[in-house]
Amino acid sequence: QKEVEQNSGPLSVPEGAIASLNCTYSDRGSQSFFWYRQYSGKSPELIMSIYSNGDKEDGRFTAQLNKASQYVSLLIRDSQPSDSATYLCAVNLGGTSYGKLTFGQGTILTVHP
Amino acid sequence: DTGVSQDPRHKITKRGQNVTFRCDPISEHNRLYWYRQTLGQGPEFLTYFQNEAQLEKSRLLSDRFSAERPKGSFSTLEIQRTEQGDSAMYLCASSRLETQYFGPGTRLLVL
């Protein structure tokens, strides 16, 4: 079992729809969770961080964390073609908040007009 | 604030040559990280500095790889005797607290 797992997709949604991206992680003691967006040929760009159970909203993005189920998700409302990218889930595994991030392999999202 | 910068952005080298990459973190970020990313995969952790101290190294980091962060400012990553399997994007990130911000990366191609 991988330490951080994502469905590699591709996930295709129509413009204006909600895109739902999912991530599971192996270490129950993990404390810090991040979503990054990566356009082809570019470096990862931070979208959101989440540390507590529940939902965290920032504009069209909502991150959801369920530590009991070891599950973190990202919802993108009113999806736009410019949202087409690879979305990376990253976790500080273990009980520390600093140090290395462990990434999933990324989910490719395509938003079609 | 300027972001994380990396130099060079692209490097083509022949197998067996040594290469060195530089990373300048966001000012006042005391933590600096190196990752490597190959096509279709998420970034993989290589090493991590807090100030000038190298706190963790991945088992992926063979003896051919070395990283330094003198004076706790910029960092260098050197790869000796490059191999074709070293071809990848090398990413640097920095943080003051939990959140890591990435530079543009250095794309290495070993022929």
Side-chain angles (χ1 to χ4, degrees):
Chain A
Q1 181 188 1
K2 293 182 180 178
E3 293 178 303
V4 178
E5 286 201 74
Q6 296 180 253
N7 187 331
S8 61
L11 174 66
S12 181
V13 301
E15 184 174 357
I18 295 175
S20 177
L21 305 161
N22 304 315
C23 174
T24 57
Y25 58 95
S26 61
D27 191 322
R28 185 175 290 275
S30 300
Q31 299 294 328
S32 305
F33 307 86
F34 305 87
W35 284 99
Y36 288 86
R37 177 175 62 197
Q38 187 171 30
Y39 292 112
S40 181
K42 303 296 185 182
S43 64
E45 171 192 10
L46 179 73
I47 300 175
M48 293 187 70
S49 60
I50 187 166
Y51 307 103
S52 304
N53 279 327
D55 294 358
K56 180 181 178 183
E57 186 174 319
D58 184 0
R60 296 186 295 113
F61 299 95
T62 299
Q64 300 174 316
L65 175 61
N66 184 326
K67 291 185 179 180
S69 299
Q70 296 171 233
Y71 176 94
V72 58
S73 65
L74 180 70
L75 300 178
I76 307 174
R77 290 182 301 281
D78 188 24
S79 296
Q80 301 297 309
S82 59
D83 294 326
S84 298
T86 298
Y87 288 80
L88 296 164
C89 171
V91 181
N92 274 125
L93 292 175
T96 60
S97 296
Y98 306 112
K100 69 180 183 183
L101 291 175
T102 301
F103 286 81
Q105 68 178 91
T107 298
I108 299 170
L109 173 66
T110 301
V111 180
H112 52 88
Chain B
D1 274 347
T2 57
V4 179
S5 61
Q6 293 187 245
D7 184 69
R9 297 288 303 277
H10 300 90
K11 179 70 177 180
I12 300 174
T13 192
K14 293 182 179 179
R15 189 175 51 189
Q17 298 295 304
N18 299 344
V19 294
T20 299
F21 307 143
R22 176 181 170 124
C23 172
D24 286 88
I26 294 170
S27 60
E28 299 179 357
H29 279 195
N30 61 337
R31 295 180 178 86
L32 187 148
Y33 311 80
W34 286 99
Y35 295 85
R36 179 173 66 188
Q37 186 177 26
T38 54
L39 199 61
Q41 302 298 317
E44 291 179 299
F45 170 78
L46 294 178
T47 191
Y48 155 49
F49 292 85
Q50 182 171 309
N51 300 313
E52 65 274 11
Q54 189 173 22
L55 295 189
E56 188 174 356
K57 287 174 60 173
S58 167
R59 286 169 291 177
L60 293 175
L61 217 62
S62 75
D63 291 344
R64 297 185 297 106
F65 287 72
S66 63
E68 293 182 338
R69 192 183 182 198
K71 303 178 183 178
S73 55
F74 71 91
S75 176
T76 58
L77 178 68
E78 181 182 17
I79 309 174
Q80 296 182 326
R81 305 180 304 282
T82 52
E83 302 173 355
Q84 288 183 323
D86 296 331
S87 296
M89 172 86 92
Y90 289 83
L91 294 161
C92 177
S94 71
S95 74
R96 188 171 63 85
L97 298 174
E98 299 92 343
T99 302
Q100 297 181 25
Y101 298 91
F102 283 84
T106 295
R107 189 172 295 278
L108 172 67
L109 177 60
V110 181
L111 301 175

